Amino acid sequence: MGITKTQIFDRQQNELAQFFKILGHPARIAILQYISKQDVCICNDLVEEIGLAQATISQHLKELKSIGLLKGEIEGKSMCYCIDIDRWNALQENLNLFFNTTKKNCC
């Protein structure tokens, strides 16, 4: 299997592809939906809310954090997460650009 040639695509195409890849798991969507309704979120809340194991939740949080959608702070022995509003808004702008510039024609 060959290497993907991301360099032949522009920054926006690569960024959207990375977002879609990370957001392509329903657990990550559920995590984002839950966190977006909170001021902050402690990981243990997510275990109870989502119903997945702590290690699984942590892995999903790591992936969401890797694309900048989450910010986290250590409070005692817990990690608190919240949505990075600047990054969230940038993603929304990119998605709007993508969908609003696509012709809505049909064959």
Side-chain angles (χ1 to χ4, degrees):
M1 192 156 148
I3 297 174
T4 49
K5 297 184 178 182
T6 56
Q7 69 272 12
I8 66 172
F9 304 105
D10 68 30
R11 183 197 57 78
Q12 183 188 25
Q13 291 166 332
N14 281 301
E15 189 172 290
L16 280 175
Q18 187 64 24
F19 276 122
F20 285 132
K21 181 180 176 183
I22 299 294
L23 296 178
H25 196 290
R28 294 178 190 149
I29 299 299
I31 289 168
L32 284 173
Q33 286 175 326
Y34 180 73
I35 292 175
S36 69
K37 295 175 185 171
Q38 314 300 316
D39 290 328
V40 294
C41 180
I42 299 172
C43 192
N44 292 339
D45 293 345
L46 287 169
V47 171
E48 294 172 21
E49 181 67 26
I50 307 295
L52 297 173
Q54 174 68 50
T56 304
I57 294 287
S58 293
Q59 184 59 38
H60 288 304
L61 289 168
K62 178 183 173 188
E63 293 293 331
L64 290 168
K65 202 169 177 188
S66 76
I67 58 171
L69 285 179
L70 295 181
K71 295 190 287 188
E73 292 181 8
I74 297 173
E75 286 188 11
K77 293 185 177 184
S78 298
M79 188 76 162
C80 295
Y81 291 94
C82 64
I83 301 291
D84 183 328
I85 297 300
D86 292 336
R87 190 73 167 141
W88 187 263
N89 290 337
L91 171 60
Q92 185 176 11
E93 283 180 34
N94 281 340
L95 287 172
N96 285 338
L97 258 171
F98 176 73
F99 287 113
N100 291 334
T101 58
T102 301
K103 292 185 180 185
K104 295 161 184 83
N105 58 6
C106 184
C107 344

